[in-house]
């Protein structure tokens, strides 16, 4: 299996890794070593898996950062992913009815394909082996979608089924809330999507949100489809959502809610579009995209944070089980004593807190702990082992602090980990239903490890040849900006995905729909002097969705095809070159 291509940018080491990428790889490798040696034995000794989650694998620790999307049906989760990627992922389906009926992990790959859940769960190259505990019914509703998109080089997106009414969840055949919690533990950011027309929070959605306790720092909230209501109505919708959230999320702080209309630029907006909040929505969308861009830069620090949190939970768990086990009589009356302690579990927790000087906030919910403990016999647990707890204490007091000292003073990884930079997020954007553009830096390289044993994370197929720029439809591309501060504005020669014919398109297209009619396109393409038969084939390639009209990217495809055909390049070769330059490789498989 081939190793992902290393970066060759400024500051790259002879091995091909930049200093920042090398630091990330060394951090993950040290975390894997420390966890396996000092934390995992403690978890296994006191059956931590039965109360929290299964032991982490090297793939879990070394996997790419994850973004988990949650929301009720038809709030725009799948469409939001298309908005980010600039294209649909394999197997995606969008509709006003509940359409996404499975969990989908969208990952990078050489070509569009779908990996079934059972195959993904047993693959040693993917971080999903822990999903086997949810059974075959869940795995039949899980899949990995791969496509060659540079925004997935250092990020994995998790699309989820729309959450319905409470009684509907029972029919899924698996524990939906537990699956959500499994992904939440491994995610770097959790995005809750709401629809301005559906503000009610169902019982099951409330349960899913409440299951995210302990992960509040990862949660972001977005109100979608805001351009489908007027400004005055939007103010009322926002207030109603904040009131609903206050009932579900019991925190003294006010949650930040991002406003936006996350609609892919290659799709025609559905429904009436209000333009009185365009500037506000553009600013809000840029703020959310800036948050998303920071994920790969903070990935190493967050990995340390998650392992530290897990180590603290395992340490407290060991003290609880060790204390309860030590209180049992040596010979007779074990069951009676165990029942008495479980009936007064909060009191036992207070004894443990006082005896070992443990913070109350690190203790689990007594009722949930009691329920989990019912599946075990207290006398079957190992006695308290100071050696195992001391090893975990050593990791918390020595290994992890030493690891944190290696990071930059601001605690963030620089932006060379392969995701667009957020330093130039102040370009003009359009928050309405038409063109929604933000600026972004070039997508860099995928971090890799060259230590003789292959990369820490390897896709099922060999690593794809990377596209250096986001596709023009992506929300993170900058095809509509000409700002000198925009790193995409170096000119068509240095950035082949720049739309060279955008000015012509703007002068001809319909100003309302932002589309070019077939009649207008006929005139523009006829100026190339190519035969009508050849222009008909060019139109078929450019109008891939058979709408009978072209958007700005489709027009760019048509014009570039004409240029190459005039240079006597074969149509098939011209098609491959043009779609490749524009980051539209998925169209080659269409």
């Amino acid at each position: 299996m081939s190793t992902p291509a290393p970066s060759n940018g400024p500051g790259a080491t002879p091995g091909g890794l930049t200093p920042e990428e090398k630091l990330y790889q060394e951090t993950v490798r040290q975390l894997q070593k420390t966890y396996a040696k000092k934390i995992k034995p403690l978890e296994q000794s006191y059956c931590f898996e039965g109360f929290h989650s299964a032991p982490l694998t090297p793939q879990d620790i070394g996997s790419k950062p994850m973004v988990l999307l949650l929301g009720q049906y038809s709030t725009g989760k799948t469409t939001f992913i298309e908005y980010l990627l600039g294209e649909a992922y394999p197997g995606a389906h969008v509709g006003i009815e509940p359409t996404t009926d499975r969990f989908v992990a969208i990952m990078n790959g050489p070509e569009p394909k779908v990996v079934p859940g059972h195959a993904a769960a047993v693959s040693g190259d993917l971080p999903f082996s822990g999903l086997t505990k949810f059974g075959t019914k869940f795995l039949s509703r899980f899949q990995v979608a791969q496509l060659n998109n540079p925004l997935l080089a250092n990020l994995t997106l998790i699309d989820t089924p729309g959450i319905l009414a409470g009684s509907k969840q029972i029919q899924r055949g698996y524990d939906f809330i537990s699956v959500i919690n499994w992904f939440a533990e491994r995610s770097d950011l959790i995005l809750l999507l709401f629809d301005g027309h559906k503000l009610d929070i169902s019982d099951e959605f409330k349960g899913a949100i409440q299951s995210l306790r302990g992960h509040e720092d990862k949660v972001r909230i977005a109100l979608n489809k805001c351009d489908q209501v007027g400004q005055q109505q939007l103010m009322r919708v926002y207030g109603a959502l904040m009131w609903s959230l206050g009932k579900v999320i019991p925190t003294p702080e006010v949650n930040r809610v991002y406003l936006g209309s996350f609609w892919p630029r290659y799709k025609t907006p559905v429904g009436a579009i209000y333009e009185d909040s365009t500037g506000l929505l553009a600013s809000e969308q840029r703020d959310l995209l800036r948050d998303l861009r920071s994920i790969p830069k903070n990935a190493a620090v967050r990995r340390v944070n998650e392992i530290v949190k897990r180590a603290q939970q395992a340490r407290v768990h060991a003290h609880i089980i060790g204390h309860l086990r030590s209180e049992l009589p040596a010979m007779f009356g074990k069951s009676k004593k165990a029942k008495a302690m479980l009936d007064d579990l909060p009191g036992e927790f207070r004894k443990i807190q006082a005896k070992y000087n443990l913070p109350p906030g690190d203790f689990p919910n007594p009722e949930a702990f009691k329920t989990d403990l019912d599946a075990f016999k207290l006398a079957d647990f190992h006695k308290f082992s100071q050696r195992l707890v001391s090893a975990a204490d050593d990791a918390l007091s020595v290994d992890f602090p030493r690891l944190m000292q290696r990071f930059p003073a601001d605690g963030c990884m620089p932006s060379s980990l392969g995701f667009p930079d957020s330093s130039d997020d102040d370009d003009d954007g359009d928050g309405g239903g038409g063109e929604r553009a933000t600026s972004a830096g070039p997508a860099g390289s995928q971090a890799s490890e060259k230590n003789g044993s292959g990369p820490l994370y390897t896709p099922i197929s060999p690593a794809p040849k990377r596209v250096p720029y986001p596709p023009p439809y992506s929300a993170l591309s900058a095809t509509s900006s000409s700002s000198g501060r925009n790193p995409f504005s170096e000119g068509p020669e240095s950035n082949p995905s720049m739309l060279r014919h955008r000015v012509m398109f703007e002068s001809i297209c319909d100003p309302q729909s932002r589309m070019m009619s077939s009649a207008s396109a006929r005139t523009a393409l006829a100026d190339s002097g190519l035969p009508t038969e050849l222009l008909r084939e060019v139109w078929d390639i450019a109008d891939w969705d058979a709408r009978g009209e072209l958007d700005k990217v489709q027009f760019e495809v048509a014009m570039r095809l004409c240029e190459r055909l005039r240079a006597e390049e074969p149509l098939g070769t011209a098609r491959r070159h043009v779609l490749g330059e524009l980051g539209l490789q998925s169209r080659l498989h269409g």
Side-chain angles (χ1 to χ4, degrees):
M1 218 170 270
S2 62
T3 302
S7 65
N8 297 309
T13 63
L17 295 177
T18 66
E20 295 81 12
E21 291 171 333
K22 185 176 180 181
L23 175 59
Y24 176 78
Q25 297 292 346
E26 291 176 353
T27 299
V28 171
R29 187 162 53 247
Q30 187 61 41
L31 280 175
Q32 291 170 330
K33 179 180 177 181
T34 302
Y35 174 79
K37 183 178 179 181
K38 299 183 177 181
I39 309 300
K40 188 175 180 179
L42 182 67
E43 295 182 4
Q44 293 175 327
S45 181
Y46 296 103
C47 199
F48 186 74
E49 177 179 0
F51 298 81
H52 295 272
S53 58
L56 300 178
T57 65
Q59 289 78 14
D60 288 328
I61 300 175
S63 64
K64 301 175 185 179
M66 284 187 188
V67 176
L68 174 65
L69 281 80
L70 289 175
Q72 300 185 114
Y73 74 93
S74 193
T75 55
K77 298 184 297 296
T78 303
T79 303
F80 179 82
I81 292 176
E82 294 183 11
Y83 167 80
L84 288 180
L85 298 179
E87 57 184 326
Y89 64 80
H93 180 55
V94 177
I96 59 173
E97 76 282 3
T99 51
T100 304
D101 62 344
R102 62 189 67 231
F103 285 79
V104 184
I106 300 98
M107 312 180 77
N108 211 22
E111 61 183 9
K113 72 174 182 178
V114 173
V115 181
H118 290 85
V122 299
S123 171
D125 297 328
L126 296 175
F128 302 119
S129 59
L131 292 173
T132 55
K133 71 175 185 178
F134 298 111
T136 57
K137 287 190 176 180
F138 167 73
L139 291 178
S140 66
R141 292 295 178 182
F142 171 68
Q143 65 187 31
V144 174
Q146 291 186 330
L147 70 160
N148 183 7
N149 189 294
L151 302 183
L152 297 173
N154 285 295
L155 198 68
T156 295
L157 302 172
I158 307 296
D159 197 4
T160 60
I163 300 176
L164 308 175
S167 59
K168 298 292 185 181
Q169 299 293 339
I170 301 174
Q171 302 172 13
R172 293 189 188 273
Y174 59 88
D175 190 340
F176 182 80
I177 300 300
S178 294
V179 174
I180 291 293
N181 197 41
W182 189 93
F183 279 107
E185 288 179 352
R186 289 156 177 78
S187 296
D188 294 75
L189 187 140
I190 304 167
L191 184 62
L192 302 181
L193 275 172
F194 289 87
D195 182 347
H197 295 91
K198 290 195 293 286
L199 295 178
D200 58 308
I201 300 177
S202 67
D203 292 341
E204 286 298 323
F205 194 21
K206 178 180 179 180
I209 294 174
Q210 292 177 340
S211 72
L212 302 178
R213 287 177 180 172
H215 306 292
E216 291 85 358
D217 58 317
K218 304 178 185 179
V219 176
R220 304 292 184 272
I221 302 170
L223 179 60
N224 196 14
K225 305 181 185 180
C226 290
D227 59 356
Q228 295 183 9
V229 296
Q231 193 174 68
Q232 184 179 15
Q233 209 172 0
L234 178 60
M235 179 182 67
R236 294 172 179 167
V237 168
Y238 178 82
L241 176 60
M242 296 299 289
W243 183 85
S244 297
L245 289 173
K247 298 286 186 179
V248 178
I249 306 177
T251 58
E253 300 86 5
V254 177
N255 295 285
R256 167 72 190 272
V257 176
Y258 296 94
L259 306 178
S261 184
F262 306 103
W263 190 258
R265 292 185 296 195
Y266 62 89
K267 288 187 173 181
T268 303
V270 176
I273 301 300
Y274 293 83
E275 299 182 354
D276 50 358
S277 300
T278 296
L280 170 65
L281 300 186
S283 299
E284 290 283 304
Q285 289 173 196
R286 282 196 297 270
D287 287 349
L288 179 56
L289 292 177
R290 187 182 297 114
D291 223 354
L292 290 170
R293 291 189 188 102
S294 71
I295 295 173
K297 294 193 288 183
N298 297 325
V301 177
R302 187 171 287 281
R303 284 289 178 271
V304 177
N305 181 68
E306 291 301 313
I307 299 297
V308 168
K309 184 193 300 183
R310 187 179 179 93
Q312 291 171 335
Q313 290 176 334
R315 180 173 175 270
V316 171
H317 176 78
H319 279 296
I320 294 173
I321 296 297
H323 169 80
L324 296 177
R325 176 66 178 81
S326 66
E327 291 294 309
L328 293 179
M331 295 295 291
F332 304 107
K334 292 183 179 180
S335 298
K336 184 177 180 180
K337 179 62 176 177
K339 184 178 184 304
M341 288 191 294
L342 292 182
D343 289 340
D344 187 29
L345 205 53
E348 297 298 326
F349 281 4
R350 287 191 291 270
K351 291 179 185 178
I352 300 169
Q353 293 168 19
K355 183 177 180 180
Y356 297 104
N357 193 28
L358 299 174
D362 287 351
F363 280 73
N365 180 277
E367 291 300 322
F369 189 86
K370 180 180 178 180
T371 301
D372 293 333
L373 195 56
D374 286 340
F376 302 90
K377 280 188 176 181
L378 201 54
D380 292 341
F381 284 104
H382 294 295
K383 293 183 178 180
F384 182 75
S385 172
Q386 186 59 51
R387 177 183 60 84
L388 293 175
V389 174
S390 295
D393 288 340
D394 184 62
L396 289 167
S397 61
V398 178
D399 295 319
F400 295 141
R402 182 187 300 149
L403 202 55
M404 289 300 298
Q405 290 175 0
R406 303 171 62 183
F407 292 109
D410 61 359
C412 296
M413 295 296 292
S415 60
S416 60
L417 286 177
F419 206 71
D421 193 3
S422 58
S423 57
D424 294 311
D425 282 319
D426 53 354
D427 295 301
D428 292 336
D430 181 4
E435 179 182 354
R436 297 172 174 82
T438 66
S439 67
S445 64
Q446 181 173 356
S448 64
E449 179 189 16
K450 303 183 74 175
N451 59 359
S453 61
L456 290 170
Y457 171 85
T458 309
I460 288 179
S461 302
K465 181 179 179 182
R466 297 185 318 280
V467 182
Y469 299 95
Y473 284 128
S474 167
L476 297 171
S477 72
T479 55
S480 64
S481 174
S482 59
S483 168
R485 297 196 304 141
N486 187 334
F488 282 88
S489 301
E490 301 160 349
E493 295 78 15
S494 59
N495 179 5
S497 68
M498 285 290 291
L499 302 186
R500 301 196 303 263
H501 302 280
R502 182 173 59 86
V503 175
M504 176 186 287
F505 177 85
E506 298 288 349
S507 65
I508 301 175
C509 74
D510 182 274
Q512 296 296 323
S513 66
R514 312 290 294 176
M515 301 291 289
M516 180 181 293
S517 66
S518 58
S520 299
R522 176 193 294 272
T523 302
L525 297 179
D527 290 342
S528 65
L530 294 172
T532 302
E533 294 76 12
L534 204 52
L535 289 178
R536 186 177 296 115
E537 294 187 68
V538 168
W539 176 269
D540 289 339
I541 294 173
D543 186 27
W544 52 69
D545 47 14
R547 288 184 291 190
E549 53 187 0
L550 303 180
D551 62 26
K552 64 176 182 179
V553 178
Q554 291 173 318
F555 180 70
E556 182 75 19
V557 169
M559 294 301 292
R560 292 197 188 191
L561 285 172
C562 290
E563 291 173 356
R564 289 182 174 271
L565 292 174
R566 288 180 62 186
E568 300 184 352
E569 187 172 317
L571 180 61
T573 304
R575 176 175 177 267
R576 286 195 301 273
H577 285 164
V578 169
L579 295 180
E581 289 172 351
L582 292 171
L584 297 169
Q585 284 82 356
S586 61
R587 299 298 173 192
L588 291 171
H589 304 279

